[in-house]
Amino acid sequence: MNKIVLSNPYIIIFLAGSILSFIIELFLDFTNWKHRKRFGGSLPEELKEFPASSVFDREKLSRMTSYKNDKFYLSLPFSILTFDLNLSLVLSGFYPWIFNLVCRVTGAPHSWLNTWLCAIFFSFLTSLPAAILTLPLSLIDEFKLEKKYGFSNMTLKMWILDSIKSLILSALLSTLILAAVVFILIKFPSSWWIFITVLLFAFTILMQVLYPIVIAPIFNKFTPLEEGELKSKISDLLQSQGFKVSGIFVMDASKRSGHSNAYFGGFGKSKRIVLYDTLIQNLTTDELVAVIGHELGHAKLHHITKKMFFLIPVELLLMLLLNYTSGRTSLYTGFGFAVSQENVINMQFIGLFLSMMVWSSISTIVTPVQNFFSRKDEFAADKFSAEHTKNPDQLISGLIKLNSENLSELIPSKIYAAWYYSHPSLLERIRALKKKEKDN
């Protein structure tokens, strides 16, 4: 094992990117915290005209502020520890040490099977430190913070069972994907980036189909929405848009959490509408139909499909970049791996791992760009719902109640929201809907 070369360009990018990302995240978190201290307990004037805004009494506003503050206080030390851990693992030579260890055990790279086993054990062992670090955060968040604010209905037994199920699913899927990736890397050493892009796209499509009918039922119970006014109105809305689904289902979300949501799941014939039971408890029929209209808007405007096909050239370019960096001997030597040009091909999965680690260190920079386009889609889906349910006030009322029940921030810092929010804030959505109503 070689020493870490601090003057190596890839190490410099990793360190600079990690430090810059950490500073940006701290700055944004503190900015939003200060903004919340100033405005968190107040109700914006624009909200006072809506009857549903009565849910934001003084006690609710105080709980919303306290909830977000507690989330911040909990995440802060773990953000610092995670940053320290990521740098320590690289600078201590942890990764090449693990690689040499698993290579000796598996006999890699003498065959495809040996290399695959090496990749499996390497991935598992290198993920352990972060998993161990985040375990206390997960437990404190679930059993102290979420229970404090009345959201968590989770028992320790249920949490352990969920964790075991998630671990088994993750291990199974990771094993299959790694097998395919290693096979492609060995069989197509110069053009693997094309085949892996195709593999990832195919996997994404497959998961769209399998998730609602195979994976989600492992964790929750889904029962068909009973006959009545709600189902009739949702069915009428879907029929008016020529949109077919395999069913409308209610998920027993309250078994675990008090948070509310609704979504369209599946792809092709597996498409379905899923309503959290907590959502049905908190919203009126017309408000629920308006929320479903929003989700229908995403489907009819092809937001998910457009994103998937937009990502194909992006992923191709990213894989081409990873192909370039993973073929550089300096990438390996900079991180302390003993490698020669002759065995780079046999170690390309390590090169892929290191390349992703290097470039992901600066991924925070593109976060606001991704979220900008995501917020545009949310505005468009709101507009669709308002137009086709012909009831924007019910959507506004539903959004207000959802914001209240989930204790979502009413007045986030503008820079924080621009950077991190994938959905517009409640006020932004209401303003857009009222503007649309006036224009009509």
Side-chain angles (χ1 to χ4, degrees), residues 155-378:
T155 64
L156 183 59
K157 178 182 177 181
M158 193 185 300
W159 187 88
I160 292 172
L161 287 174
D162 281 355
S163 299
I164 292 172
K165 291 174 185 177
S166 297
L167 185 62
I168 292 172
L169 277 171
S170 177
L172 178 61
L173 293 174
S174 298
T175 299
L176 293 173
I177 292 173
L178 271 175
V181 167
V182 170
F183 178 81
I184 291 170
L185 287 172
I186 293 174
K187 293 296 181 180
F188 307 99
S190 59
S191 57
W192 60 261
W193 54 281
I194 299 174
F195 292 99
I196 288 182
T197 301
V198 173
L199 171 69
L200 293 177
F201 182 72
F203 177 75
T204 301
I205 296 291
L206 181 63
M207 290 304 295
Q208 287 283 330
V209 175
L210 293 182
Y211 179 81
I213 57 178
V214 177
I215 296 177
I218 295 175
F219 297 92
N220 289 96
K221 184 179 179 181
F222 295 82
T223 55
L225 179 63
E226 62 184 25
E227 297 295 332
E229 183 186 17
L230 177 58
K231 184 173 182 179
S232 177
K233 287 191 172 184
I234 293 175
S235 299
D236 289 344
L237 175 62
L238 297 176
Q239 189 174 4
S240 71
Q241 299 303 311
F243 193 82
K244 296 181 179 180
V245 295
S246 62
I248 305 171
F249 295 89
V250 179
M251 186 180 92
D252 61 340
S254 60
K255 184 171 71 173
R256 291 176 173 80
S257 172
H259 290 291
S260 300
N261 201 4
Y263 66 88
F264 275 38
F267 192 80
K269 291 184 178 181
S270 70
K271 284 187 295 190
R272 57 173 56 188
I273 295 174
V274 175
L275 303 170
Y276 285 24
D277 56 357
T278 48
L279 188 72
I280 295 175
Q281 293 164 12
N282 295 326
L283 270 58
T284 66
T285 296
D286 287 336
E287 289 167 349
L288 280 164
V289 172
V291 170
I292 291 300
H294 170 92
E295 298 302 328
L296 178 61
H298 283 306
K300 290 294 290 184
L301 297 172
H302 308 293
H303 288 157
I304 296 175
T305 305
K306 287 177 181 177
K307 283 179 183 177
M308 287 173 60
F309 281 96
F310 172 77
L311 284 175
I312 292 176
V314 173
E315 287 184 351
L316 272 172
L317 289 173
L318 178 61
M319 286 298 168
L320 185 59
L321 176 63
L322 296 180
N323 177 56
Y324 173 80
T325 54
S326 66
R328 307 296 101 184
T329 303
S330 57
L331 172 70
Y332 301 86
T333 56
F335 281 88
F337 287 84
V339 65
S340 63
Q341 193 62 46
E342 290 73 26
N343 69 349
V344 163
I345 290 178
N346 291 324
M347 288 180 62
Q348 269 194 319
F349 79 88
I350 291 294
L352 198 56
F353 170 82
L354 294 176
S355 297
M356 288 191 293
M357 190 165 62
V358 168
W359 300 120
S360 65
S361 69
I362 59 174
S363 62
T364 300
I365 297 170
V366 302
T367 299
V369 178
Q370 294 173 323
N371 285 332
F372 170 79
F373 288 105
S374 176
R375 290 193 298 272
K376 283 191 67 176
D377 287 348
E378 295 302 323

Side-chain angles (χ1 to χ4, degrees), residues 385-402:
S385 177
E387 289 178 348
H388 294 282
T389 64
K390 298 179 174 57
N391 214 341
D393 286 343
Q394 292 300 318
L395 178 58
I396 290 173
S397 177
L399 290 173
I400 288 173
K401 289 181 181 179
L402 277 172

Side-chain angles (χ1 to χ4, degrees), residues 67 71 74 134-163 255-257:
Y67 180 62
K71 284 280 189 182
L74 177 61
T134 56
L135 180 62
L137 172 63
S138 177
L139 287 168
I140 295 170
D141 181 66
E142 185 66 51
F143 291 102
K144 185 174 181 181
L145 199 152
E146 292 293 303
K147 283 190 179 295
K148 175 182 176 181
Y149 291 92
F151 286 127
S152 177
N153 298 316
M154 187 80 76
T155 64
L156 183 59
K157 178 182 177 181
M158 193 185 300
W159 187 88
I160 292 172
L161 287 174
D162 281 355
S163 299
K255 184 171 71 173
R256 291 176 173 80
S257 172

Side-chain angles (χ1 to χ4, degrees), residues 23-41 64-73 75-76 407-421 425 428:
I23 291 172
I24 289 173
E25 289 169 7
L26 277 185
F27 168 75
L28 291 172
D29 284 341
F30 272 108
T31 299
N32 199 45
W33 174 71
K34 288 179 66 177
H35 188 83
R36 187 163 54 245
K37 284 188 69 176
R38 184 178 177 186
F39 299 105
M64 290 165 65
T65 302
S66 297
Y67 180 62
K68 290 301 179 183
N69 281 340
D70 284 352
K71 284 280 189 182
F72 168 64
Y73 299 145
S75 67
L76 182 60
L407 296 181
S408 301
E409 207 149 23
L410 277 180
I411 316 174
S413 160
K414 288 185 178 180
I415 186 172
Y416 183 90
W419 203 283
Y420 284 127
Y421 276 31
S425 68
E428 289 174 320

